[in-house]
């Protein structure tokens, strides 16, 4: 069964801290995505990766970076966390060979920056 | 940038009634997908309709697509309290490549009253 896992369900960090959010998929998918979700704003794409070591900026990349050293793992990094990065973060993956580009989501990480 | 726009933003119905949700989009698409998100969780894929299809069924779900109007509707028949969730439409671009991605709408909150 398809599975996307995220390292934490809930995370509380202080302003200025460096924060790592990890995502792992076990489906050998080429594409992986990081979104943030805020009330009234829907899902906004932060970064995505279509291959190991490849990445592209999404709609709101400012304040974030990503790392993909292995196919199954995609990390989102907040270099210096700020309170406006308090949000729900969702990771997803998809198979390039699929004609649908259906995405499989992890359970989400609710990050609070104080 | 948001391609899909769902309507209404929120819907409240009685158990047993049908729920109809609409999605409009702006550019040509390869396919349109509907996802469900239970509170505080990740998104789950429900159903996909391709641009050359007009209607599709899956259990109590019926989705239609009108490419001339650039719109889709999702019908949930005989709703249950467990259908309470947020529903998102997502569009795949007409020309799909390795770095293609879905574009999600802001979502519709459905509440089904027991």
């Amino acid at each position: 069964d398809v599975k996307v896992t995220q390292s934490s369900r809930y995370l509380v960090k202080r302003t200025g801290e460096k924060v790592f959010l990890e995502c792992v998929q076990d489906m050998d998918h080429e594409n992986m995505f990081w979104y943030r979700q805020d009330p009234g704003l829907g899902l906004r794409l932060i970064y995505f990766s279509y291959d190991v070591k490849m990445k592209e900026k999404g709609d709101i990349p400012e304040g974030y970076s990503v790392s993909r050293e292995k196919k199954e793992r995609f990390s989102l990094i907040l270099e210096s966390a700020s309170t406006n990065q308090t949000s729900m973060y969702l990771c997803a993956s998809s198979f390039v060979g699929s004609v649908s580009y259906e995405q499989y989501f992890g359970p989400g990480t609710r990050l609070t920056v104080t | 940038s948001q391609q899909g726009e769902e309507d209404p933003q929120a819907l409240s119905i009685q158990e047993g009634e049908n729920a109809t949700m609409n999605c409009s989009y702006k550019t040509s698409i390869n396919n349109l997908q509907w996802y469900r998100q239970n509170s505080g969780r990740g998104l789950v894929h429900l159903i996909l309709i391709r641009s050359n299809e007009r209607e599709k069924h899956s259990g109590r779900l019926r989705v239609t697509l009108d490419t001339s109007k650039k719109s889709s509707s999702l019908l949930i028949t005989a709703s249950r309290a467990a259908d309470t969730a947020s529903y998102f439409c997502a569009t795949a671009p007409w020309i799909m490549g390795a770095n293609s991605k879905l574009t999600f709408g802001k979502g519709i909150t459905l509440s089904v009253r027991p």
Side-chain angles (χ1 to χ4, degrees), chain A residues 52-64:
Chain A
V52 175
K53 296 190 188 295
M54 304 300 288
K55 61 187 179 186
E56 277 198 22
K57 293 180 179 179
D59 300 318
I60 51 163
E62 296 78 20
Y64 303 93

Side-chain angles (χ1 to χ4, degrees), chain A residues 9 31 33 35 37 40-45 48 50 56 59 88 90 96 99-103 105-107, chain B residues 1-2 30-31 33 35 37 40-43 45 48 50 88 92 96-102 104-106:
Chain A
R9 287 300 316 280
N31 289 3
F33 308 83
Y35 298 90
Q37 184 177 25
L41 297 178
L43 269 70
R44 293 182 291 169
L45 182 64
F48 72 103
Y50 51 92
E56 277 198 22
D59 300 318
M88 170 70 115
L90 293 166
V96 171
V99 296
S100 70
Y101 278 63
E102 173 186 344
Q103 290 188 12
F105 282 81
Chain B
S1 59
Q2 301 286 351
N30 178 285
N31 66 75
Q33 306 176 28
Y35 289 76
Q37 183 183 33
R41 311 295 294 186
L43 279 70
H45 184 263
L48 175 151
R50 302 190 191 287
F88 294 83
M96 297 170 70
N99 61 345
S100 294
K101 57 191 186 294
L102 300 178
F104 287 84
K106 293 184 179 181

Side-chain angles (χ1 to χ4, degrees), chain B residues 5-13 19-24 34 72 74 87-88 106-110:
Chain B
E5 295 281 342
E6 294 99 339
D7 169 62
Q9 290 187 338
L11 183 61
S12 181
I13 59 174
T20 299
M21 292 168 270
N22 303 300
C23 171
S24 60
W34 285 90
S72 172
L74 174 68
Y87 292 82
F88 294 83
K106 293 184 179 181
I108 296 170
T109 301
L110 173 65

Side-chain angles (χ1 to χ4, degrees), chain B residues 22 24 42 51 56 60 71 83 87 91 98:
Chain B
N22 303 300
S24 60
S51 60
K56 248 185 138 169
R60 294 185 296 113
S71 68
D83 294 327
Y87 292 82
T91 53

Side-chain angles (χ1 to χ4, degrees), chain A residues 24-38:
Chain A
V24 177
Q25 50 95 2
D26 65 358
M27 299 159 285
D28 203 34
H29 284 173
E30 292 86 354
N31 289 3
M32 296 188 74
F33 308 83
W34 275 107
Y35 298 90
R36 67 176 280 177
Q37 184 177 25
D38 301 287

Side-chain angles (χ1 to χ4, degrees), chain B residues 77-95:
Chain B
T77 60
S79 64
R80 306 166 182 168
D83 294 327
T84 294
S86 292
Y87 292 82
F88 294 83
C89 69
T91 53
W94 174 245
I95 298 174

Side-chain angles (χ1 to χ4, degrees), chain A:
Chain A
D1 207 10
V2 165
K3 198 161 187 184
V4 178
T5 56
Q6 294 182 229
S7 49
S8 307
R9 287 300 316 280
Y10 300 94
L11 206 53
V12 180
K13 295 292 182 180
R14 294 190 182 276
T15 301
E17 278 193 82
K18 190 168 187 175
V19 181
F20 292 87
L21 302 182
E22 303 283 336
C23 176
V24 177
Q25 50 95 2
D26 65 358
M27 299 159 285
D28 203 34
H29 284 173
E30 292 86 354
N31 289 3
M32 296 188 74
F33 308 83
W34 275 107
Y35 298 90
R36 67 176 280 177
Q37 184 177 25
D38 301 287
L41 297 178
L43 269 70
R44 293 182 291 169
L45 182 64
I46 304 171
Y47 268 99
F48 72 103
S49 168
Y50 51 92
D51 202 351
V52 175
K53 296 190 188 295
M54 304 300 288
K55 61 187 179 186
E56 277 198 22
K57 293 180 179 179
D59 300 318
I60 51 163
E62 296 78 20
Y64 303 93
S65 62
V66 291
S67 172
R68 190 155 180 216
E69 297 296 319
K70 293 185 177 182
K71 192 175 185 180
E72 67 271 17
R73 189 179 297 268
F74 192 35
S75 302
L76 179 69
I77 304 156
L78 288 66
E79 295 290 342
S80 178
S82 64
T83 55
N84 63 12
Q85 292 178 310
T86 291
S87 186
M88 170 70 115
Y89 289 88
L90 293 166
C91 175
S93 69
S94 70
F95 177 47
V96 171
S98 161
V99 296
S100 70
Y101 278 63
E102 173 186 344
Q103 290 188 12
Y104 296 84
F105 282 81
T109 295
R110 188 165 293 281
L111 172 67
T112 302
V113 183
T114 62

